[in-house]
Amino acid sequence: MKSATADARMTFVSVTPPSVPRLRLEPTGSRRTLLDGAWWPRSTDPVAELPGLVLAIDKIRGPVTRLVLAAGGWDSHPRRLRVHGRVLRLGYFTSQPLSLLTAICDRDERVDLLVVAPNTDSGTADAAMILAATTTNLVHAQDILLTVSTPAARAAVSNAPEDAWETDGGHLDPVPEPAPHKVPEPA
């Protein structure tokens, strides 16, 4: 039987290719937001789920060097994970909310993501992810699912990106009526 110390020193590698993550990120990378976006993993297996997420964040925000995760949200707690030729350090903390994951990228930049539980229904998950990735979001990760759990809240959240765009000077033009088409009369 392996000891916990041996597990802590082992580097885990996923035996399957990374899946495409269900990820939504705030587009500007603004540090004035509570959250940078949301991620909806398909399971609670970190070795299967984290590589795809890491590769997606790498492309958008730069190379991920560490991940901070909630201790209670995962089936196992590997301390190191090999992703695309490099080893990431993973930290699991009881003080980290279950619904929050923090990725530390090069130059110590943070990416804070709402983690939507795998078994969440798609309507609630979509609404939560939209809210988490909205620049004007003022709801903390641990409160987002409760906030969007009602149909009225989901409807308000799904209109949020258009509403924010219109208040920033954008507007939706009404669809113009087609011009009457005149058929030429025979000569």
Side-chain angles (χ1 to χ4, degrees):
M1 180 172 184
K2 288 188 282 184
S3 71
T5 307
D7 281 346
R9 286 180 276 161
M10 290 181 63
T11 298
F12 288 80
V13 179
S14 178
V15 294
T16 60
S19 63
V20 175
R22 297 181 289 190
L23 175 66
R24 184 180 289 263
L25 284 175
E26 188 276 322
T28 66
S30 171
R31 285 307 328 148
R32 292 188 280 168
T33 62
L34 286 176
L35 294 166
D36 296 294
W39 174 50
W40 186 18
R42 290 170 178 83
S43 74
T44 55
D45 177 1
V47 176
E49 298 294 333
L50 293 173
L53 174 66
V54 167
L55 293 174
I57 294 171
D58 283 354
K59 287 181 183 176
I60 299 167
R61 300 284 173 88
V64 175
T65 57
R66 288 182 289 157
L67 293 174
V68 178
L69 306 126
W74 300 98
D75 294 341
S76 62
H77 299 125
R79 295 293 183 184
R80 291 187 273 177
L81 181 66
R82 183 174 300 281
V83 177
H84 207 262
R86 69 181 190 276
V87 176
L88 297 176
R89 289 181 295 149
L90 310 178
Y92 298 88
F93 299 92
T94 56
S95 59
Q96 178 89 343
L98 284 174
S99 56
L100 182 64
L101 175 145
T102 301
I104 308 298
C105 300
D106 276 354
R107 298 181 308 271
D108 289 329
E109 293 181 44
R110 293 172 53 126
V111 177
D112 292 312
L113 298 174
L114 167 71
V115 178
V116 179
N119 61 348
T120 305
D121 76 85
S122 63
T124 301
D126 288 340
M129 292 176 73
I130 289 169
L131 180 57
T134 302
T135 307
T136 57
N137 171 41
L138 298 176
V139 182
H140 291 273
Q142 59 268 31
D143 300 324
I144 286 183
L145 286 174
L146 181 61
T147 300
V148 301
S149 63
T150 65
R154 277 199 300 264
V157 169
S158 66
N159 290 332
E162 285 179 6
D163 292 345
W165 180 64
E166 287 194 23
T167 60
D168 284 341
H171 65 282
L172 297 174
D173 290 329
V175 176
E177 292 292 322
H181 182 67
K182 292 185 180 180
V183 177
E185 294 183 22

